[in-house]
Amino acid sequence: MLEEIAPGLLGRHKPEEKKLPPLPNAEPGKVVTRLPPEPSGYMHIGHAMSGILNYLYAKMYDGKLWLRFEDTNPRKVRLEYYESFRKGYRWFGIEWDYEKSNSEDLDLYYDYARELIRMGLAYVCSCNKEEMSRGRFMMVECAHRQQPVELNLSLWKEMLSGDLEEGSAVLRLKGDMTSKNTAMRDPTLFRIIHHPHPLVGDKYTVWPTYDIAAAIEDAVCGITHVLRSSEFALRDELQNYIRSLLGLRSPVFVEYSRFEFKGTPLAKREIRRLIEQGIVSGWDDPRLATVEGIRRRGLLPEAIREFTVSQTGLTYTKRVYAWELLYAVNRRMLDPVARRYFFVPDPILVEVEGAPELRAELPYHPSEPLGKRLVQTGSRFYVPRKDVQKLKEGSMLRLKHLFNVVLRELADDLVRATFVSREVVEGVPIVQWVTEDHVRVEVLVPDVIYLDDGQLNPESLKTVHGIGEKACAEIKPGERVQFERFGFCIRDDASALSFIFIHT
RNA sequence: GCCCCGGUGGUGUAGCCCGGUCAAGCAUGCGGGCCUUUCGAGCCCACGACCCGAGUUCGAAUCUCGGCCGGGGCACCA
């Protein structure tokens, strides 16, 4: 997979695993980690980086990796997202050993629930939401907590029957209503949801909450190390407690802070809003940090991997990454494999008097053996207007790989020049050029969506129109190239010659 | 409001657990130079940080306390 996308890169950038700090209590061959996506939205770079960490640690310790869909809220989960995550993980070169969905295990959860009720550790509560949250806030138990086991068992049965309305009853854990950790204050374990699930349909109406499902699954899957972001920190105590009641083993938790990329939203709701408002085109908009977005944007999965390992610590501080840090890694990987092409933005015609007609051989790369193309030249060339505007009449200019000319006449639409010499003359500015045999090219230039002050960036997506040498037409969709003196770009669309600017 | 957790150059990190070897390493960025038939790459040089205060100590980025700032949590979401 990776070899296909970025041939030759793997060998050169192997040491990534070595740079990860050691995992606590990790025994080689016995480590089991997991990818726990909720299939309720498109995968983004945060899922990816977390997945990379889990994958690399499993690999580093010669362990195993689970892909486990946390799909216990049928109202949020949608079928298309399962595959979106599988595809996304694969794109990053993450291979997992086992796969399951929590929704497969409802009967198992029910068994454990009955067990908890029997032991007098859980009760059916029919308080409404406000009462429950008030009770939690005030640290007071409600009357249902004192119900006898027999009653709880029959109420639980009633819940499972499917006859109860949503919100009328939940199963709660007897935790500690006076705990400082609010998650411990008799949390809800199961609730009633009358909504079809994309995988199991209408079979179940009683669904576990995150904590009970994760507590059981992490144990059942034999997870030894949970690497996750810190918003779950308060759940550790709860999940461990549940497992201790059930006689299950708990994993080691390694938590790190959440992060974001500067000026780029990651939250599902926010992205959805931007799409609805027409500010971005969709989930694959190149300005977004969704997997589809960064793929279109031309960022290499290998670069994200290396970035994750090298620029990411297991820190607790909130991080705001500058995109430049990622670009630097990406550029380093792209530079040796990206062919160079001539693209002239905002072109101006140059007529060169006395120009020799040449069949020029232009190398696709200044130092790597990436081949060359032949270009037949005459006396008419197009060069970037901006480069010519910097010059005065009488100054010299070199058409890269061809010859030097001297500018005679600078008009708005035409530059008249005269051929001077073939050999390189030091100090003469060099520009890229295209002949009359060229193709129209447009380049989308993405930038951050939000400015530093939080306002929308009015120039978050610019379009640069220009012309490219004929060979540009052969660039395959998804291929990354460098337009010389312009920047690295990726061919976006199969039908038009449309590119997306990656970085300089 | 309450409860957790953090604060190292512009940015991301290493170091902090086990105080000295840290007048703080790396990457990126910015500035300058070299090289290069790209404003890319490469090479070299330079710039730039331990949130504040008190305490412990011969000695604190590292330990303690207080403050300030930031993040997270307080769901029948995950």
Side-chain angles (χ1 to χ4, degrees):
Chain A
M1 181 78 195
L2 277 166
E3 283 83 350
E4 281 171 29
I5 297 156
L9 287 183
L10 286 178
R12 221 171 296 185
H13 296 277
K14 258 287 165 48
E16 56 189 0
E17 290 93 332
K18 297 204 173 67
K19 285 185 274 177
L20 285 173
L23 268 189
N25 300 328
E27 277 184 66
K30 294 189 177 166
V31 168
V32 183
T33 58
R34 25 141 261 190
L35 313 168
E38 183 192 28
S40 65
Y42 287 99
M43 183 173 168
H44 60 62
I45 196 166
H47 298 112
M49 288 170 69
S50 166
I52 287 165
L53 246 22
N54 278 284
Y55 167 66
L56 291 179
Y57 271 120
K59 226 175 102 183
M60 172 173 166
Y61 286 98
D62 193 22
K64 300 291 184 191
L65 178 66
W66 271 93
L67 169 58
R68 198 182 72 222
F69 288 103
E70 310 256 278
D71 57 350
T72 54
N73 186 342
R75 222 180 283 283
K76 289 177 73 179
V77 171
R78 281 178 42 192
L79 195 57
E80 61 186 294
Y81 299 131
Y82 288 82
E83 192 50 28
S84 148
F85 274 98
R86 287 191 198 97
K87 266 177 65 182
Y89 286 127
R90 277 188 218 115
W91 189 64
F92 284 101
I94 296 170
E95 296 156 7
W96 55 97
D97 301 284
Y98 317 108
E99 178 179 330
K100 75 173 352 180
S101 297
N102 287 358
S103 57
E104 296 165 18
D105 279 342
L106 281 259
D107 294 317
L108 175 69
Y109 304 148
Y110 293 164
D111 290 344
Y112 280 113
R114 195 170 304 112
E115 192 64 22
L116 287 171
I117 299 168
R118 272 211 199 96
M119 293 189 288
L121 298 168
Y123 59 99
V124 174
C125 178
S126 53
C127 291
N128 63 39
K129 279 189 190 182
E130 296 77 62
E131 288 168 332
M132 207 182 284
S133 92
R134 197 179 325 123
R136 284 227 180 78
F137 185 75
M138 309 286 283
M139 300 189 182
V140 295
E141 300 167 0
C142 72
H144 310 283
R145 200 184 209 261
Q146 303 306 327
Q147 283 161 185
V149 169
E150 291 314 313
L151 178 56
N152 283 324
L153 281 170
S154 73
L155 288 172
W156 171 243
K157 218 170 170 182
E158 209 180 320
M159 276 178 74
L160 291 179
S161 73
D163 298 335
L164 260 42
E165 275 177 44
E166 262 183 48
S168 61
V170 298
L171 185 73
R172 285 228 258 172
L173 178 75
K174 280 189 192 171
D176 176 2
M177 287 306 271
T178 64
S179 173
K180 281 183 175 180
N181 182 350
T182 47
M184 293 300 290
R185 323 233 262 239
D186 287 21
T188 296
L189 263 23
F190 290 84
R191 76 290 207 195
I192 297 166
I193 299 176
H194 290 287
H195 192 279
H197 187 281
L199 258 34
V200 296
D202 295 318
K203 193 173 171 194
Y204 303 99
T205 57
V206 174
W207 287 88
T209 56
Y210 166 70
D211 287 297
I212 181 82
I216 293 171
E217 289 296 347
D218 282 341
V220 167
C221 296
I223 307 298
T224 59
H225 296 263
V226 169
L227 297 133
R228 51 144 77 131
S229 64
S230 56
E231 72 259 35
F232 297 99
L234 267 7
R235 330 303 306 186
D236 300 356
E237 185 186 356
L238 207 211
Q239 294 177 205
N240 285 163
Y241 180 62
I242 292 170
R243 277 186 290 258
S244 74
L245 297 176
L246 264 14
L248 300 170
R249 265 185 57 186
S250 288
V252 175
F253 294 94
V254 178
E255 270 140 4
Y256 46 84
S257 73
R258 312 189 68 169
F259 60 83
E260 57 190 54
F261 280 83
K262 197 168 184 180
T264 306
L266 276 186
K268 256 176 285 193
R269 291 178 58 176
E270 201 177 346
I271 294 176
R272 193 168 293 128
R273 210 194 71 230
L274 292 171
I275 294 172
E276 281 161 6
Q277 295 176 344
I279 293 164
V280 300
S281 59
W283 291 95
D284 65 347
D285 190 288
R287 288 165 289 183
L288 294 175
T290 53
V291 171
E292 291 306 314
I294 59 184
R295 187 213 299 251
R296 260 186 85 194
R297 178 65 194 273
L299 296 172
L300 295 159
E302 265 300 292
I304 311 273
R305 283 170 59 136
E306 177 133 336
F307 175 80
T308 302
V309 174
S310 63
Q311 298 298 321
T312 285
L314 269 21
T315 343
Y316 276 99
T317 20
K318 156 123 195 214
R319 294 161 280 178
V320 180
Y321 294 119
W323 281 100
E324 285 68 32
L325 294 169
L326 218 196
Y327 294 161
V329 180
N330 203 68
R331 185 182 299 117
R332 195 164 64 236
M333 295 181 156
L334 221 42
D335 190 77
V337 296
R339 292 180 196 237
R340 271 55 173 173
Y341 287 85
F342 285 170
F343 162 69
V344 177
D346 190 18
I348 186 167
L349 176 62
V350 181
E351 285 212 358
V352 181
E353 196 183 307
E357 293 198 357
L358 300 170
R359 289 188 76 222
E361 275 195 347
L362 311 181
Y364 276 124
H365 195 282
S367 55
E368 302 290 324
L370 296 182
K372 57 187 74 161
R373 72 279 196 195
L374 281 174
V375 181
Q376 177 67 50
T377 69
S379 60
R380 290 157 76 90
F381 299 89
Y382 293 88
V383 301
R385 179 181 303 273
K386 148 184 133 208
D387 287 309
V388 156
Q389 279 172 340
K390 284 188 260 181
L391 301 171
K392 297 193 183 74
E393 290 181 2
S395 45
M396 275 232 273
L397 180 68
R398 181 172 182 82
L399 303 179
K400 188 170 180 183
H401 291 125
L402 294 182
F403 45 67
N404 311 305
V405 300
V406 60
L407 306 182
R408 295 292 179 209
E409 217 182 301
L410 295 171
D412 277 354
D413 293 322
L414 177 65
V415 174
R416 290 190 193 283
T418 308
F419 170 84
V420 180
S421 58
R422 300 277 296 264
E423 62 280 358
V424 177
V425 177
E426 207 169 331
V428 172
I430 298 163
V431 296
Q432 79 277 30
W433 47 268
V434 300
T435 63
E436 289 194 288
D437 191 14
H438 59 249
V439 288
R440 299 210 139 274
V441 167
E442 68 164 32
V443 180
L444 260 41
V445 183
D447 196 355
V448 294
I449 291 173
Y450 296 111
L451 267 8
D452 285 356
D453 59 9
Q455 296 297 303
L456 278 173
N457 178 4
E459 305 213 300
S460 63
L461 190 64
K462 286 183 277 194
T463 306
V464 175
H465 295 278
I467 53 181
E469 61 175 292
K470 200 178 160 199
C472 288
E474 290 154 21
I475 299 168
K476 292 187 282 294
E479 186 176 344
R480 300 164 181 90
V481 300
Q482 189 204 54
F483 287 145
E484 289 203 40
R485 305 208 316 128
F486 184 80
F488 291 92
C489 296
I490 180 169
R491 170 100 188 257
D492 187 39
D493 197 282
S495 53
L497 271 179
S498 170
F499 290 79
I500 291 174
F501 182 80
I502 306 173
H503 46 62
T504 52

